[in-house]
Amino acid sequence: MALVNTEEVSAGLAGMSGLNAFRQIGLMLGLAASVAIGVTVVLWSWTPNYGVLYGALEERDVSTVLDALRQGGIEAKLDEATGAVLVPKGNIHDARIRLASMGLPKGVSAGFDALEDKSSFGVSQFMEKARYQRALEIELARTISSLSNVKNARVHLAVPRQSVFVRNRKKSSASVVIDLFPGRNLESGQVSAITHMVSSSIPELDVSNVTVVDQRGKLLTSGSANLQIARTGAQFEYINKFEQAYIDRIERLLEPILGSESVRAQVTADIDFTTSEQTQESFNPDAPALRSDQTTVEESSGAINGGVPGALTNQPPGAGAIQENIGVEVAKATPSSRHRREIRNYELDKTISHTRFSMGRLKRLSVAVVVDDKITVVDGNSTRLPRTPEELSRLSNLIKEAVGFNVQRGDTVNVMNSSFTVPEAPEPLPEVPIWEQGWALDIGKKILGALLVIIVLFGILKPIMRSLATQSREMVPVNSATGSAAVGSVEGMAEDTVTLGAAQDIPAIPAPGSYEQNMITANKAVEQDPKLVAQVVKNWVASDG
């Protein structure tokens, strides 16, 4: 069934030609406004709701972002008033995720490229140095922004003017402000890489003079004052990783036996981070070795003239007496001496050892393990039974072997049985109402647009065409002799007639019947359209004359 009958349209056009010029212009404007309203409503209902993806961006970033979105199949446009990038509201999160994976937008202005666009003719040396330093800062910021975790970066350089005197020279310094992506952090190695990169790019810039700060104002570099704190933090992190490694080892060992949710383990490690050196020299007395042996023997015999030098010593001896046994006496009186000296050198077994104890030496290990009760299912009913001491002892021995238990080191292992609490089921998240979802607004707009179009067609256009068709039938040429056509036109008017402008609604006239009914119909016609009745009367008089 057609919305507007073609016969009514043709009759309406014929009826509109019978109106005066003012009414024709008003009717045409009304029709044009109705059609414009319908087209506008259709376009509005089928146009998606746009939201702001990014606000003020650099010109290079705007073109790059738009190209990336269009290549990804996401409709995007640019707000001419604010310069913001707009996308459909339902695609905002997808667009941001896609751009973040591509590292967009960069948000860094031109660096050394800006020096090529500006002529240096007539520029002072100070301005040239300022431009060079600014370009260097931008280039460093652009390099730092190329890291995967960094969204944006700014670099500030403090390069003092150097003096010709060495003792008056000052060192350069730099500050780096980093804007990280949500949920991402920089590791200590990455921060160290940034500081070394900046210090290597600036002459006479030490690594200790580079400061790195994130967007929350947190200092990422550790200066000399915070060096001890940084070491303590590194030691704490090392202890946590060390203990977690033992915990994972114990849980991976016991979970296949007890169940994935039936064991909990904690490990405490006492680690010594002191660095010491020891040198030891030892000898083995049980294994001597003769290296050299030297023996000296001295012997002497006969009289020895000796005494205190003087006159008596130099005098000749007196006359001697003759004795019978002279040979025996001489033998007894002859003196003799013997001296022996012996030197022996031994080599002993000597050991010299130099020991250096490194940091992170494990001094003591404490392990605590809690296991759940044994669960048995009988006829669909679960029953909890405590672990026997034999089972706990076997588990304890198994844990000792897994962690490398050492009695001399003072390690301890404690295994305990306890009933675990069954966690409650989490409450479901509340559902988002339909009217708050993105697709609901688009569907509502389309339904509202369709209703408005139907109202325009059936409430405005169709009644106008019907009214014009009625007026076309009323303006049929009247027979000057009888005037029957005019009367017939009044009697043959359709029901539910609607007119615009000065035209008024004519009620339905029933078929000719009794005399009273005809009089009532004629009176109503006179009251509502006296001009038409007067024209009919004039035709009658002219025909009778």
Side-chain angles (χ1 to χ4, degrees), residues 258 374 385-396 415:
L258 306 177
K374 183 187 299 182
L385 298 175
R387 304 280 178 178
T388 61
E390 291 77 9
E391 292 178 347
L392 296 179
S393 178
R394 290 197 300 269
L395 294 177
S396 178
V415 181

Side-chain angles (χ1 to χ4, degrees), residues 186-450:
L186 287 180
E187 298 179 356
S188 59
Q190 294 175 328
V191 175
S192 178
I194 292 174
T195 56
H196 282 79
M197 187 269 296
V198 175
S199 64
S200 301
S201 304
I202 308 300
E204 299 183 1
L205 177 60
D206 296 334
V207 179
S208 58
N209 293 334
V210 179
T211 304
V212 181
V213 183
D214 62 1
Q215 73 272 20
R216 295 184 296 271
K218 180 181 178 181
L219 181 64
L220 302 181
T221 54
S222 301
S224 57
N226 299 326
L227 183 58
Q228 189 64 29
I229 299 177
R231 291 178 178 175
T232 304
Q235 294 174 3
F236 183 75
E237 183 179 358
Y238 174 79
I239 293 175
N240 287 338
K241 291 182 178 179
F242 187 85
E243 294 175 348
Q244 188 63 38
Y246 276 96
I247 292 173
D248 295 340
R249 186 183 303 176
I250 295 172
E251 291 182 351
R252 284 197 303 268
L253 181 65
L254 298 182
E255 281 179 355
I257 302 174
L258 306 177
S260 60
E261 298 296 333
S262 299
V263 58
R264 292 292 183 272
Q266 289 295 326
V267 176
T268 302
D270 185 7
I271 299 177
D272 187 10
F273 290 97
T274 58
T275 303
S276 60
E277 296 182 2
Q278 180 180 357
T279 302
Q280 183 179 3
E281 184 177 357
S282 60
F283 297 90
N284 187 7
D286 298 333
L290 182 62
R291 184 181 65 177
S292 62
D293 187 4
Q294 182 180 0
T295 304
T296 303
V297 179
E298 296 180 359
E299 294 181 358
S300 60
S301 61
I304 299 176
N305 294 326
V308 178
L312 297 177
T313 306
N314 295 329
Q315 291 179 1
I322 298 174
Q323 300 178 358
E324 294 180 356
N325 297 329
I326 186 170
V328 178
E329 295 295 334
V330 172
K332 291 181 178 181
T334 302
S336 63
S337 64
R338 181 181 178 86
H339 180 70
R340 180 183 178 88
R341 184 176 62 182
E342 186 175 357
I343 300 175
R344 290 182 179 181
N345 295 324
Y346 292 91
E347 287 290 346
L348 299 179
D349 186 9
K350 182 175 66 173
T351 303
I352 299 176
S353 61
H354 182 78
T355 306
R356 181 177 181 180
F357 299 97
S358 61
M359 299 176 60
R361 185 169 57 91
L362 181 61
K363 296 175 60 178
R364 187 172 179 271
L365 193 66
S366 301
V367 180
V369 180
V370 180
V371 296
D372 194 9
D373 294 336
K374 183 187 299 182
I375 300 176
T376 58
V377 179
V378 178
D379 297 334
N381 298 324
S382 59
T383 304
R384 289 180 172 269
L385 298 175
R387 304 280 178 178
T388 61
E390 291 77 9
E391 292 178 347
L392 296 179
S393 178
R394 290 197 300 269
L395 294 177
S396 178
N397 295 331
L398 192 62
I399 294 171
K400 289 180 180 180
E401 294 295 332
V403 300
F405 183 79
N406 190 352
V407 179
Q408 298 178 355
R409 196 170 53 193
D411 296 348
T412 58
V413 175
N414 186 10
V415 181
M416 185 182 69
N417 175 224
S418 179
S419 299
F420 286 6
T421 303
V422 179
E424 298 180 357
E427 297 182 359
L429 297 176
E431 297 182 357
V432 180
I434 297 178
W435 57 86
E436 293 183 2
Q437 298 180 5
W439 57 267
L441 183 59
D442 295 336
I443 295 178
K445 286 178 60 178
K446 294 177 181 179
I447 295 175
L448 181 60

Side-chain angles (χ1 to χ4, degrees), residues 82-162:
T82 60
V85 178
L86 304 179
V87 297
K89 289 186 177 180
N91 297 332
I92 289 179
H93 298 291
D94 295 338
R96 288 181 177 174
I97 292 173
R98 180 180 295 275
L99 293 176
S101 63
M102 301 173 63
L104 296 175
K106 292 295 184 180
V108 180
S109 58
F112 285 110
D113 300 338
L115 298 179
E116 300 177 358
D117 301 335
K118 298 180 181 179
S119 176
S120 59
F121 181 76
V123 180
S124 62
Q125 186 178 5
F126 173 78
M127 289 302 298
E128 289 182 352
K129 291 183 178 179
R131 287 181 182 177
Y132 175 78
Q133 181 172 341
R134 176 58 181 163
L136 188 59
E137 292 175 350
I138 294 174
E139 290 295 333
L140 290 174
R142 182 180 296 176
T143 304
I144 296 173
S145 300
S146 62
L147 299 178
S148 59
N149 294 341
V150 179
K151 179 181 179 182
N152 194 4
R154 295 194 64 182
V155 179
H156 302 280
L157 300 177
V159 182
R161 184 177 180 181
Q162 299 297 339

